[in-house]
Amino acid sequence: MFLNNSTQIERRIESLEKHLKQENPVLLRVVQSFRELDRVAYRMGLLDRSESFATRVPWWPLISILGTFSAGKSTFINSFLDQKLQRTGNQAVDDKFTVICYSKEEQSRTLPGLALDADPRFPFYQISREIEEVVTGEGRRIDAYLQLKTCPTEKLRGKILIDSPGFDADAQRTSTLKITDHIMDLSDLVLVLFDARHPEPGAMKDTLEHLVANTINRHDSNKFLFILNQVDCTVSEDNLEDVVAAWQRAMSQAGLMAGHFFQIYNKQAAHPIADDEVRTRYENKLAEDMNEILGRINRVEIDRAYRIIGSLEDITKMIQDEVVPILTEMISQWRKGVLILDGIWILLLGGLIAGATLGTGHSLGIDWFINMVNAPDTMQQTAAAGIALTTLGIVGYLHVLMRKLSAWNVTRNLTKKIQRSDILDAVRKGFKRNIRLSRSLLSSKPSGWGSWAQNRIFKVQKDTNIFVQDLNDQFTNPSGKEGVNNPKVLLDIS
C-alpha cells in the first residue's frame, strides 16, 4: 500500500509538471521547490513518503460562495453562469457543499460526495478523514455533506466554484464548520452573501462571528468580499443607507473595523421600481459593484499563481518558525520525563534490593548468581545467562514503557495547544520520528534538522522572491518595453 501511495503521489506531481511546462514555466519551477521542501519534511518525519506539499495546494483557481440560507447564493451563481444549475427559494433548498466545475458535456451532471473525497484533483480530497477526527462516524457520511456538479459554460473553464449550504441552525454543526474553514483556507476568492431583506443583523450573530471575525487576523483577508444581496427590498422605504449602516455596525461588533458591503440584487427577480430617479440610483450602484465583483472573479487565475508561490514561503515559515521550535521543546520535555521516570523505577528497584540485603544479610542472590556463572556445570551457566537476559529484557521493557508514558504526557494536550491542523499533523509525525528507539535519548535537535535542511529552506525562500519577480514579468511591464510581459492563461483543468 505504501508503494502504491508513493507511486500515485509521484505520478500526480509528474502530471502536474507536464501540464505546467506548457501553461506556465514559472509555476513549473515552483513545483521543484515543493519537492525540495518535501525532502526536508521526509527526513524530519513531518510527511509520509506518500504525501507531498505540492498536493496540498489547489493548482486551479477556487471561488467559494458562503452566507445565510436566504442570501440568494444560488440565484447569484445561476446568474453568473447563465445556467439554472442551483435550486432557488426563500427557504434552505440545499444542505450540501456543491463543487461546480466545467464540463464539455451539454448536460449538467450531479455526482456524489465520494467523487470529491476520493479524487486528489479536487479541494476536498480525503476531507472525510478530517471530518471523522472532529465527529466520529460522520466521515462515512461524506455524501451528506458534499456533491459535485458539472456545467457546460466557458465562464467555469479553468475555475472551480463552491456553493455552501445556508448557515441555519443545522448548519452550525462542527463538521460543517470544519468544511467551511477548509474551503476558506483554500479559496482564492470568498464571496460572503447576506440577505438585505432581514435588516436586523443581530439574528445572524453566529454567522457573522464565524465568517467575519475569523478573517480579521488572516494575511489573505483581502480575498473576502462581503455582499449585501437583494437590496431592492429597500426601495419601498428608500432606506438602503440605513440597512447598509446596520450591517456595517454588526461587522464592526464582530471585530472587522474596515467592513465594506457590496450592494447588489437580481434585476430579473427584483420588484419594479416606479421612481425613475430611485431606479437609476439603484441600477448604477448595482452596475458599479457587480463590475468590481466580476473583475475580482476574472482575476483569480492571476491571484492563484501568486498564492501558490506565497504558499512556499508559508511552508518554510511553518517548518522553521513553528514546527522546529515546538518539536525542540517537546523533545526536551520528553527527555526529562524519561530520565525522571527511569530514575524513579531504578531507585525503587535499588531500594528493594538494598532492603532485602539488609533484612536477610545476603546480597539478594548476587553471590549465588556469580557462583552459577563461574560454575563448571554448563546447565548452571545457561541458567545464569537466561536470568541475565530476562533481567535485561525487563529493564528494557520498563525503559520503553517510560518512553511511551513520557510521550503520552507530552502530547496529551497537543490539540488544545496547536490550532492549525497542518502544524498539528506535522508535529505529531515529527515527534513520533524523534522518540524512536533507534534515536539516542541524548539528541536535543529534531531529527533531520541540521545545516542540510536549513540550507534548503533558505534556498526555497530565496527562490520564492525570484518566482514573484518572474511572475510580475508575465503580468506587468514597468519598463514599458515591447515584448517584456507575456500574460498567459494559468491553468485549464478540462
Side-chain angles (χ1 to χ4, degrees):
M1 186 66 180
F2 168 80
L3 293 176
N4 289 340
N5 287 338
S6 180
T7 302
Q8 183 183 16
I9 287 293
E10 184 62 30
R11 287 178 178 176
R12 285 173 59 193
I13 297 177
E14 289 177 354
S15 176
L16 178 63
E17 290 174 330
K18 182 179 179 180
H19 181 79
L20 292 174
K21 186 176 183 180
Q22 298 178 343
E23 295 296 333
N24 196 313
V26 175
L27 293 184
L28 174 62
R29 288 154 49 206
V30 171
V31 177
Q32 299 303 319
S33 291
F34 274 111
R35 287 183 178 271
E36 285 292 323
L37 292 180
D38 287 346
R39 294 186 184 100
V40 173
Y42 292 152
R43 290 188 63 164
M44 295 183 65
L46 310 182
L47 284 180
D48 295 331
R49 290 283 176 173
S50 58
E51 298 176 308
S52 169
F53 286 124
T55 63
R56 296 184 176 184
V57 179
W59 291 82
W60 50 86
L62 192 63
I63 305 166
S64 59
I65 317 291
L66 307 178
T68 54
F69 70 84
S70 61
K73 299 187 304 298
S74 297
T75 300
F76 177 86
I77 291 172
N78 291 343
S79 176
F80 169 69
L81 299 176
D82 294 323
Q83 300 273 340
K84 291 184 178 180
L85 187 70
Q86 296 291 81
R87 293 183 299 162
T88 60
N90 291 329
Q91 301 298 322
V93 294
D94 211 335
D95 60 352
K96 299 179 182 180
F97 288 87
T98 303
V99 176
I100 307 170
C101 68
Y102 172 77
S103 173
K104 296 179 180 179
E105 295 184 358
E106 294 184 2
Q107 181 181 1
S108 176
R109 297 182 182 276
T110 301
L111 304 176
L114 180 63
L116 297 166
D117 186 61
D119 192 333
R121 295 175 298 176
F122 290 102
F124 290 112
Y125 179 56
Q126 294 185 343
I127 189 67
S128 59
R129 295 184 180 180
E130 296 188 34
I131 295 175
E132 186 68 23
E133 290 182 3
V134 176
V135 184
T136 304
E138 287 297 288
R140 297 191 297 270
R141 300 179 61 251
I142 193 65
D143 290 345
Y145 291 96
L146 300 173
Q147 63 182 359
L148 171 64
K149 285 188 178 181
T150 62
C151 184
T153 174
E154 289 296 319
K155 290 185 177 181
L156 273 180
R157 184 184 286 272
K159 299 182 183 72
I160 285 182
L161 202 66
I162 300 179
D163 183 18
S164 72
F167 280 79
D168 54 14
D170 184 58
Q172 297 303 315
R173 291 174 299 183
T174 306
S175 50
T176 301
L177 294 180
K178 176 75 173 180
I179 300 178
T180 301
D181 292 338
H182 181 74
I183 66 173
M184 286 167 61
D185 290 339
L186 295 180
S187 294
D188 300 287
L189 184 64
V190 181
L191 308 182
V192 184
L193 275 66
F194 295 96
D195 186 358
R197 295 174 302 175
H198 300 286
E200 178 47 59
M204 306 299 178
K205 185 176 183 295
D206 290 341
T207 303
L208 281 168
E209 287 182 352
H210 196 80
L211 298 184
V212 178
N214 285 357
T215 70
I216 297 172
N217 298 319
R218 298 179 66 103
H219 66 86
D220 57 355
S221 59
N222 64 325
K223 73 181 182 181
F224 290 82
L225 301 185
F226 299 101
I227 302 171
L228 196 57
N229 196 14
Q230 301 167 140
V231 297
D232 57 296
C233 70
T234 65
V235 170
S236 60
E237 299 182 15
D238 197 14
N239 65 338
L240 177 58
E241 290 77 11
D242 293 337
V243 171
V244 173
W247 281 100
Q248 287 178 328
R249 284 194 299 272
M251 293 175 70
S252 176
Q253 291 172 2
L256 194 63
M257 304 307 295
H260 168 70
F261 271 106
F262 293 91
Q263 302 154 41
I264 67 171
Y265 62 96
N266 188 289
K267 292 177 66 174
Q268 285 70 37
H271 296 292
I273 304 177
D275 190 308
D276 291 340
E277 182 180 346
V278 173
R279 182 174 64 253
T280 300
R281 179 158 53 90
Y282 272 71
E283 289 181 351
N284 287 343
K285 181 59 176 174
L286 170 64
E288 177 186 343
D289 285 5
M290 278 303 300
N291 284 338
E292 187 168 349
I293 293 170
L294 294 176
R296 289 292 300 272
I297 291 175
N298 292 331
R299 291 202 308 269
V300 293
E301 290 93 344
I302 298 174
D303 293 341
R304 167 48 61 186
Y306 284 99
R307 201 177 302 282
I308 289 173
I309 294 175
S311 67
L312 278 175
E313 186 174 6
D314 290 341
I315 294 172
T316 61
K317 289 181 178 179
M318 180 191 76
I319 295 174
Q320 187 172 254
D321 301 335
E322 299 283 349
V323 174
V324 169
I326 292 173
L327 281 178
T328 302
E329 178 62 23
M330 290 176 65
I331 293 169
S332 175
Q333 293 178 2
W334 173 75
R335 289 170 59 207
K336 291 178 182 177
V338 174
L339 293 174
I340 290 173
L341 291 172
D342 274 348
I344 290 173
W345 71 259
I346 289 174
L347 286 174
L348 288 174
L349 183 60
L352 288 174
I353 294 175
T357 301
L358 291 173
T360 61
H362 300 285
S363 55
L364 204 62
I366 294 177
D367 293 338
W368 170 79
F369 179 78
I370 294 174
N371 291 332
M372 287 185 65
V373 172
N374 295 326
D377 190 342
T378 305
M379 291 185 64
Q380 287 183 321
Q381 292 179 348
T382 303
I387 293 172
L389 290 174
T390 301
T391 303
L392 287 175
I394 294 173
V395 169
Y397 172 77
L398 288 173
H399 176 67
V400 170
L401 189 63
M402 297 306 105
R403 292 171 72 106
K404 291 182 178 180
L405 185 59
S406 179
W408 172 82
N409 184 56
V410 171
T411 59
R412 61 193 176 100
N413 293 319
L414 209 56
T415 54
K416 295 181 180 179
K417 297 177 181 178
I418 304 176
Q419 301 300 318
R420 279 182 51 179
S421 59
D422 55 343
I423 296 178
L424 179 62
D425 182 64
V427 167
R428 280 174 170 170
K429 292 176 179 177
F431 184 65
K432 187 176 180 180
R433 168 70 66 89
N434 281 276
I435 62 174
R436 295 180 303 175
L437 283 173
S438 59
R439 182 167 167 80
S440 173
L441 191 64
L442 301 178
S443 300
S444 59
K445 292 194 305 182
S447 175
W449 182 248
S451 58
W452 181 90
Q454 294 175 43
N455 288 338
R456 273 153 181 76
I457 291 287
F458 177 76
K459 181 179 183 302
V460 171
Q461 291 173 335
K462 184 178 179 181
D463 288 344
T464 298
N465 294 330
I466 298 174
F467 297 149
V468 171
Q469 294 173 18
D470 291 344
L471 202 58
N472 287 343
D473 290 339
Q474 287 191 349
F475 302 112
T476 64
N477 187 1
S479 67
K481 295 181 181 180
E482 294 292 332
V484 173
N485 60 329
N486 182 26
K488 295 182 181 180
V489 176
L490 298 184
L491 287 175
D492 178 5
I493 63 170
S494 59

